């Protein structure tokens, strides 16, 4: 086995753990708080809780509240400008994966010159190294989907070219993350499901990835087990704190999978979908293509034993074939009420599918190189077509 383990984030996990923020060593003297442009962070009292903790710690702050569900590069630039104008020396992301990803990107651009795409590999990115260390980031997650509180990665959309690409390095790990399941009880049922399946696919993709290793395998299988056990319960009763805790822990473990292994081409294919249609929730897009995607892997027998292990982790104890994982996956989607999602409901058209294949290949080609199989453009198009309705 050849592997490198590096996860430098201090994680404070548990119900009401946001109330412990003021006890932690914060990485600066003034914070830029990054939140979404929606109302929930304020209306649910989460921003008030954070501000009270910062006041208790005697740390001043300013708030940037323009982040979209699929975060855009233009808002990264605005946030970085505000951070510099206000003299902020660290960034707090309070929200879901989009907000925390944006906080990381803002931290990069607050200290580095030029444009974020100067530092992006893939698409029209220039692939330059960052010359300055980003501002420190504190992540306070209010959803359980991306695991970004435990990994260095961020995904941003360049709207004018429909490029949705990830980047990150050792310096973009959060220095501190608060994972408080009580902040997740207000997430509506459909989004609990979308986010939970995103965490699931981070784990399954990491387990099938060519770079998978003992460390990532441990995190992957436990995250899959927890989601199989509790995701449907969290979807049906958002106030079920035990279920929320299981799903939150699975999400953080999935972030650790991202830090020790990584995604494969399923994520490339979905990023193209939501790059073309930013109103499509990332997790929903993954659900739409997942049956066809994992059926392809099962039918080509490239990872049979790992597919069986994932099926068992999802709860199918008698699993004996790779397709048993697909059956277990579909059963979980039915249990969560997301098995009938349609691409067409989000404006996706059949004639766009070939362009999406091209977009996936051009912008996140690296994920195809760590697949357990070789996907041709024709294979990718077939997966889209079989998923379309």
């Amino acid at each position: 086995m050849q592997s490198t383990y590096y996860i430098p984030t201090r994680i404070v996990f548990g119900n009401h753990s946001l109330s412990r923020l003021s006890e932690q060593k914060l990485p600066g003297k003034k914070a830029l708080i990054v939140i979404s442009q929606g109302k929930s962070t304020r209306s649910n009292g989460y921003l008030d809780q954070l501000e009270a903790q910062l006041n208790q710690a005697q740390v001043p702050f300013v708030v940037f509240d323009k982040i979209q569900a699929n975060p855009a590069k233009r808002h990264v630039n605005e946030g970085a400008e505000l951070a510099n104008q206000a003299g902020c020396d660290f960034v707090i992301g309070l929200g879901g994966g989009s907000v925390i990803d944006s906080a990381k990107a803002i931290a990069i651009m607050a200290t580095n010159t030029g444009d974020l795409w100067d530092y992006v590999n893939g698409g029209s990115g220039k692939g330059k190294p960052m010359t300055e260390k980003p501002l420190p980031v504190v992540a306070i997650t209010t959803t359980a989907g991306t695991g970004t509180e435990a990994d260095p990665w961020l995904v941003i959309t360049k709207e004018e070219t429909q490029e949705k690409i990830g980047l990150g390095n050792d310096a973009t790990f959060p220095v501190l993350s608060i994972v408080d399941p009580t902040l997740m009880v207000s997430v509506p049922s459909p989004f609990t499901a979308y986010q939970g399946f995103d965490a699931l696919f981070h784990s399954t993709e990491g387990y099938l990835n060519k770079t998978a290793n003992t460390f990532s395998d441990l995190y992957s299988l436990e995250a899959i087990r927890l989601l199989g056990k509790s995701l449907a319960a969290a979807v049906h009763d958002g106030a079920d704190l035990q279920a929320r805790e299981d799903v939150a822990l699975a999400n953080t473990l999935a972030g650790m999978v991202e830090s020790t292994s990584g995604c494969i081409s399923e994520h490339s294919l979905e990023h193209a979908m939501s790059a073309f249609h930013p109103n499509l929730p990332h997790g929903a897009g993954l659900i739409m293509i997942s049956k066809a995607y994992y059926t392809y892997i099962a039918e080509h027998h490239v990872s049979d034993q790992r597919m069986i292990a994932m099926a068992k982790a999802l709860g199918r104890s008698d699993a004996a074939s790779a397709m048993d994982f697909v059956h277990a996956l579909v059963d979980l989607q039915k249990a969560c009420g997301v098995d009938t999602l349609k691409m067409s409901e989000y404006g996706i058209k059949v004639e766009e599918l070939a362009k999406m294949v091209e977009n996936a290949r051009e912008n996140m080609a690296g994920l195809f190189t760590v697949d357990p199989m070789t996907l041709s453009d024709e294979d990718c198009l077939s997966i889209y077509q079989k998923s379309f309705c």
Side-chain angles (χ1 to χ4, degrees):
M1 182 184 73
Q2 298 290 325
S3 63
T4 300
Y5 184 97
Y6 181 69
I7 304 177
T9 304
R10 180 181 298 276
I11 297 172
V12 182
F13 184 95
N15 294 332
H16 307 293
S17 54
L18 178 54
S19 65
R20 297 169 54 194
L21 179 67
S22 60
E23 303 169 11
Q24 311 304 314
K25 182 179 179 180
L26 297 175
K29 296 181 179 179
K30 186 173 184 180
L32 176 75
I33 300 174
V34 180
I35 63 174
S36 75
Q37 64 181 6
K39 300 177 180 179
S40 62
T41 308
R42 286 189 167 95
S43 63
N44 290 319
Y46 303 153
L47 181 60
D48 287 343
Q49 290 183 51
L50 172 57
E51 291 179 348
Q53 286 294 304
L54 291 175
N55 287 333
Q56 189 171 335
Q58 298 183 325
V59 173
F61 54 83
V62 294
V63 177
F64 181 72
D65 61 358
K66 295 187 178 181
I67 306 305
Q68 302 171 325
N70 279 299
K73 181 173 71 71
R74 58 193 168 93
H75 294 136
V76 169
N77 296 336
E78 290 180 33
E81 184 176 356
L82 176 60
N84 286 328
Q85 288 176 349
C88 298
D89 56 1
F90 73 107
V91 183
I92 300 176
L94 173 66
S98 298
V99 168
I100 297 172
D101 282 9
S102 297
K104 293 176 182 179
I106 288 168
I108 292 170
M109 295 314 301
T111 59
N112 287 276
T113 59
D115 184 87
L116 182 67
W117 246 244
D118 291 341
Y119 310 105
V120 165
N121 289 294
S124 62
K126 296 180 180 178
K128 295 180 179 179
M130 299 174 200
T131 58
E132 301 295 333
K133 188 175 181 179
L135 295 180
V137 173
V138 174
I140 304 173
T141 180
T142 61
T143 66
T146 67
T148 190
E149 70 271 14
D151 71 44
W153 309 115
L154 57 130
V155 177
I156 302 293
T157 298
K158 184 179 179 182
E159 294 175 303
E160 58 269 31
T161 55
Q162 295 179 312
E163 294 174 276
K164 186 177 179 183
I165 304 180
L167 70 152
N169 59 31
D170 285 355
T172 50
F173 272 101
V175 297
L176 170 67
S177 290
I178 303 291
V179 183
D180 183 344
T182 65
L183 304 182
M184 303 171 189
V185 298
S186 60
V187 178
S189 292
F191 285 92
T192 297
Y194 302 158
Q195 294 155 8
F197 275 98
D198 188 14
L200 178 68
F201 295 132
H202 286 160
S203 304
T204 57
E205 292 178 50
Y207 192 64
L208 297 174
N209 193 305
K210 287 180 181 178
T211 67
N213 56 77
T214 300
F215 300 120
S216 63
D217 286 354
L218 291 169
Y219 295 136
S220 294
L221 290 176
E222 180 62 5
I224 294 167
R225 186 191 70 81
L226 287 166
L227 290 164
K229 171 191 172 190
S230 295
L231 179 57
V235 168
H236 292 294
D237 180 6
D240 183 339
L241 278 179
Q242 183 57 62
R244 287 288 187 188
E245 186 176 89
D246 285 348
V247 174
L249 179 56
N251 179 59
T252 298
L253 293 174
M256 294 177 178
V257 174
E258 289 290 279
S259 296
T260 51
S261 175
C263 288
I264 56 176
S265 60
E266 182 186 18
H267 260 70
S268 298
L269 293 173
E270 197 297 314
H271 281 319
M273 294 164 64
S274 48
F276 277 59
H277 295 273
N279 63 321
L280 172 64
H282 173 56
L286 288 168
I287 292 167
M288 291 173 188
I289 61 174
S290 61
K291 181 180 178 181
Y293 185 85
Y294 288 97
T295 296
Y296 180 97
I297 296 174
E299 290 179 342
H300 284 77
H301 302 289
V302 293
S303 295
D304 284 1
Q305 292 307 309
R306 286 187 168 254
M307 295 280 278
I308 292 169
M310 293 194 304
K312 290 180 177 179
L314 266 188
R316 187 161 289 215
S317 59
D318 61 348
S321 73
M323 277 303 295
D324 283 329
F325 172 73
V326 179
H327 300 320
L329 175 63
V330 172
D331 286 347
L332 183 59
Q333 290 173 355
K334 289 178 179 178
C336 293
V338 293
D339 57 309
T340 59
L341 292 173
K342 293 179 171 63
M343 289 187 187
S344 57
E345 292 177 347
Y346 291 90
I348 297 174
K349 300 176 182 178
V350 173
E351 51 267 31
E352 291 179 294
L353 300 180
K355 293 180 181 179
M356 289 181 182
V357 172
E358 183 179 344
N359 182 288
R361 188 78 70 179
E362 286 183 353
N363 293 318
M364 297 199 77
L367 301 192
F368 288 91
T369 67
V370 290
D371 277 340
M373 67 292 186
T374 300
L375 277 180
S376 67
D377 287 352
E378 292 74 19
D379 294 328
C380 294
L381 182 58
S382 177
I383 288 169
Y384 278 146
Q385 291 170 336
K386 290 176 180 177
S387 304
F388 187 86
C389 59

